[in-house]
Amino acid sequence: MEDERLYSMVGTRIKTIREQKGLSQQDLSLICNIEKTNLSRIEAGRTNLTIKNLYKISKALKIRMKEIIDVDEEDEKDFY
Amino acid sequence: MEDERLYSMVGTRIKTIREQKGLSQQDLSLICNIEKTNLSRIEAGRTNLTIKNLYKISKALKIRMKEIIDVDEEDEKDFY
DNA sequence: TGTTCTATTGCCATATATGATAACTTAATA
DNA sequence: TATTAAGTTATCATATATGGCAATAGAACA
């Protein structure tokens, strides 16, 4: 899939789970030590985040990284 | 866990799966368009790779991203 | 010996993720 | 109206992931 779509899907996963936990972006940013503006960019899918921050976010949300990153699409057998 | 440990575990997962598929680093680098030196650094756990390259590698290995990133450890309840 | 394949390492330049701050919008509420 | 909270966006500086190339080392083999 396109890069931007990948970022958006990951960002949306984070936003959805964060809201399920009743946390604001600022709450989450304080817990995991990521700038709130950066968190906003990540959730908006405007950033190619690193596994380091993916890990920090997953720990702050008390979930596994794979629960955030489980956004692969089915119809990609011939992507490469 | 420590950043370096995270990178190493992810790198090792990639290396293990790559070898299971009978691919050399150069093979994989050609398939997914990642510099072979960068791939070497990633597998060695010396790089905080981005989800974009995580995605490219997973597609080249014909697996899901979560199969690479499934390295969370159990004893981290109180990490944050 | 020489050759080939594989992987690593060093170096440099570039792109960009991130941190940090400020300004702004919107919504909710007193 | 004013105030507060939540989120977005712009800007800038810094750190670093990546691309690219060259050199090196080790293993396997002729």
Side-chain angles (χ1 to χ4, degrees):
Chain A
M1 69 180 111
E2 300 265 337
D3 294 344
E4 288 70 21
R5 178 163 175 77
L6 171 63
Y7 309 155
S8 282
M9 294 188 73
V10 170
T12 299
R13 287 285 301 149
I14 292 170
K15 181 186 176 77
T16 300
I17 297 169
R18 173 178 62 77
E19 289 175 341
Q20 283 174 356
K21 305 272 182 175
L23 298 172
S24 68
Q25 281 188 2
Q26 176 136 348
D27 292 335
L28 183 56
S29 81
L30 289 174
I31 296 173
C32 65
N33 247 329
I34 292 177
E35 256 300 307
K36 66 172 183 153
T37 57
N38 192 22
L39 200 49
S40 176
R41 284 182 295 227
I42 291 170
E43 287 192 358
R46 290 173 38 221
T47 257
N48 173 21
L49 86 164
T50 60
I51 60 169
K52 175 176 174 175
N53 277 344
L54 172 66
Y55 181 74
K56 287 166 74 174
I57 291 170
S58 74
K59 283 293 152 285
L61 293 174
K62 301 182 192 303
I63 58 177
R64 299 293 173 105
M65 285 185 284
K66 64 179 177 182
E67 297 182 55
I68 294 176
I69 212 71
D70 189 16
V71 297
D72 304 79
E73 294 173 331
E74 286 296 343
D75 54 349
E76 298 193 302
K77 302 183 189 69
D78 308 315
F79 188 73
Y80 287 104
Chain B
M1 69 179 112
E2 300 264 338
D3 294 343
E4 287 70 21
R5 179 162 175 76
L6 171 64
Y7 309 155
S8 282
M9 295 188 73
V10 170
T12 300
R13 286 285 301 148
I14 292 170
K15 181 186 176 78
T16 299
I17 297 169
R18 172 179 62 78
E19 290 175 340
Q20 283 173 356
K21 306 273 181 174
L23 299 171
S24 68
Q25 281 187 1
Q26 177 137 347
D27 293 333
L28 183 56
S29 81
L30 288 174
I31 296 172
C32 64
N33 246 328
I34 292 177
E35 256 300 305
K36 64 174 182 150
T37 56
N38 192 23
L39 197 52
S40 175
R41 284 181 294 228
I42 290 170
E43 288 192 356
R46 289 173 40 223
T47 258
N48 174 19
L49 86 164
T50 60
I51 60 170
K52 175 177 175 174
N53 276 344
L54 172 65
Y55 181 75
K56 287 166 74 173
I57 291 170
S58 74
K59 282 296 153 283
L61 292 175
K62 300 181 192 302
I63 58 177
R64 300 293 173 104
M65 286 185 284
K66 65 180 177 181
E67 296 181 56
I68 295 176
I69 211 72
D70 189 17
V71 297
D72 303 80
E73 294 173 331
E74 287 295 342
D75 55 349
E76 298 193 303
K77 301 182 190 68
D78 308 315
F79 187 72
Y80 286 104

